[in-house]
Amino acid sequence: MIYVYICVCIYYIHACSSQSILSEPTLSCPRAAAAAAQSVVAVEEERRIMAAKIVPVPTEPYTLGFIGAGKMAESIARGVVKSGLLPAAHIRTAHLGTARRTAFESFGVKVLDKNSQVVEQSDVVIFSVKPQVVKDVVLQLKPLLSEKQLLVSVVAGVKLKDLQEWAGHSRFIRVMPNTPAAVGVAASVISLGAAATNVDGELISELFGAIGKVWKADEKLFDAVTGLSGSGPAYIYLAIEALADGGVAAGLPRELALGLASQTVLGAATMVGNAGKHPGQLKDDVASPGGTTIAGIHELEKAGFRGILMNAVVAAAKRSKELSQG
């Protein structure tokens, strides 16, 4: 009500001051104030009605459902259970195949026969299906979806505006995780749909925090996110393989070379995340004058190592944009 009173006062003062410079006033100050009050009250009432439609996800352990029972859904579910965020009994998915049913049931998740059953029993519904089938899946479930449920998509390349249109409402959050979710060290980026609240965003950030680190970003950046963190693990696998091959070329046994290469990349990544230094400074800390490291770096620079990685990210981001546009 204080907000309404202030708005009325501002409108009243503006209307009165305007009349002092008009030769023929068309509206008295009391009438202007009344009109302003009605307008502001109407806006506030509309906001109240819209807010009332959004039912917060229960603070007690909510139920989480997965539409799609693939590897990503399994990784998320395992991470959530392992972290203690939700008990397995509060998680649902559906699949008819024995292998996938067994995979989820092995850590206590209830596996149903139909996706419709998952939706009916879930407060938060995560769509984790192939991009080419997501439209049909969402449309099929549309009659069961309501704004009482928070909807989430981890489907690559499918935009919020389409998801919201298919679902019939916009309480949707899009998440772009990557494959290291399987070992609990994913890099995930989330973007909120039109009706998703900040509380919804915090809940999903916590949920995906169970499988790694989470950032928030505007959806327009998701093609670039795909090019970097989505496709990035493959670049690093290639780098690890190349480092191991170099070790073998220098005389190391294959197993030792691969172990050293993977641990070196893990250690370097941990240093970047925890040391509080720019990667360039960390590189300089290793490269002593006239030493072995700077000799190796010199070869990488001559081969255009930085530019190659940058070009890979840009190319993948461009391809992601092409695919999302059909």
Side-chain angles (χ1 to χ4, degrees):
M1 291 305 297
I2 294 174
Y3 171 75
V4 172
Y5 179 77
I6 293 172
C7 290
V8 170
C9 290
I10 292 172
Y11 194 103
Y12 183 91
I13 294 168
H14 176 71
C16 292
S17 62
S18 298
Q19 287 186 16
S20 65
I21 61 173
L22 293 174
S23 57
E24 294 183 7
T26 60
L27 187 65
S28 66
C29 288
R31 289 181 62 192
Q38 291 177 355
S39 176
V40 172
V41 169
V43 170
E44 289 298 309
E45 179 64 12
E46 183 178 355
R47 287 178 178 172
R48 185 189 67 77
I49 292 172
M50 290 183 66
K53 293 181 179 179
I54 302 298
V55 179
V57 174
T59 53
E60 294 298 319
Y62 52 88
T63 51
L64 174 64
F66 290 90
I67 304 300
K71 292 293 186 181
M72 181 57 73
E74 181 186 346
S75 296
I76 298 168
R78 284 186 182 276
V80 168
V81 173
K82 185 178 179 180
S83 70
L85 186 62
L86 279 179
H90 284 249
I91 303 176
R92 308 279 188 272
T93 191
H95 205 279
L96 296 178
T98 302
R100 298 314 301 156
R101 293 182 72 95
T102 301
F104 279 88
E105 290 172 346
S106 68
F107 59 101
V109 171
K110 186 174 182 179
V111 183
L112 305 168
D113 295 331
K114 298 179 180 179
N115 286 333
S116 59
Q117 295 173 303
V118 175
V119 172
E120 290 169 347
Q121 297 182 26
S122 301
D123 300 308
V124 178
V125 180
I126 297 180
F127 290 91
S128 180
V129 297
K130 298 293 184 183
Q132 59 267 30
V133 302
V134 65
K135 180 178 181 180
D136 290 340
V137 170
V138 177
L139 287 174
Q140 184 180 26
L141 296 171
K142 182 177 180 179
L144 302 175
L145 302 173
S146 74
E147 289 190 348
K148 292 181 179 180
Q149 295 163 313
L150 175 56
L151 308 182
V152 180
S153 170
V154 296
V155 182
V158 181
K159 295 182 178 180
L160 278 168
K161 67 178 183 65
D162 294 321
L163 293 164
Q164 292 169 167
E165 179 183 344
W166 301 333
H169 72 79
S170 53
R171 194 183 180 190
F172 232 120
I173 294 179
R174 184 180 171 191
V175 185
M176 180 68 196
N178 61 4
T179 54
V183 290
V185 287
S188 300
V189 181
I190 75 171
S191 182
L192 275 60
T197 66
N198 288 333
V199 173
D200 291 338
E202 290 169 5
L203 185 147
I204 297 306
S205 292
E206 182 181 35
L207 194 153
F208 280 83
I211 58 166
K213 293 188 176 182
V214 181
W215 291 263
K216 290 183 180 180
D218 193 291
E219 189 185 26
K220 67 183 180 182
L221 301 177
F222 268 42
D223 291 322
V225 169
T226 299
L228 179 53
S229 60
S231 301
Y235 315 152
I236 303 305
Y237 300 148
L238 193 62
I240 291 172
E241 183 183 30
L243 286 171
D245 286 345
V248 172
L252 295 177
R254 170 65 63 181
E255 185 177 355
L256 176 58
L258 184 58
L260 289 173
S262 59
Q263 184 63 25
T264 296
V265 170
L266 175 62
T270 303
M271 289 285 287
V272 171
N274 298 341
K277 292 184 178 181
H278 188 277
Q281 181 60 55
L282 291 171
K283 178 261 297 178
D284 290 347
D285 290 346
V286 182
S288 55
T292 59
T293 303
I294 195 63
I297 290 173
H298 189 197
E299 292 301 316
L300 291 173
E301 295 288 14
K302 286 194 295 184
F305 181 69
R306 296 171 191 248
I308 290 171
L309 286 178
M310 291 171 65
N311 289 342
V313 173
V314 172
K318 180 181 177 182
R319 183 56 178 156
S320 174
K321 186 174 182 179
E322 292 170 353
L323 292 172
S324 66
Q325 292 175 344

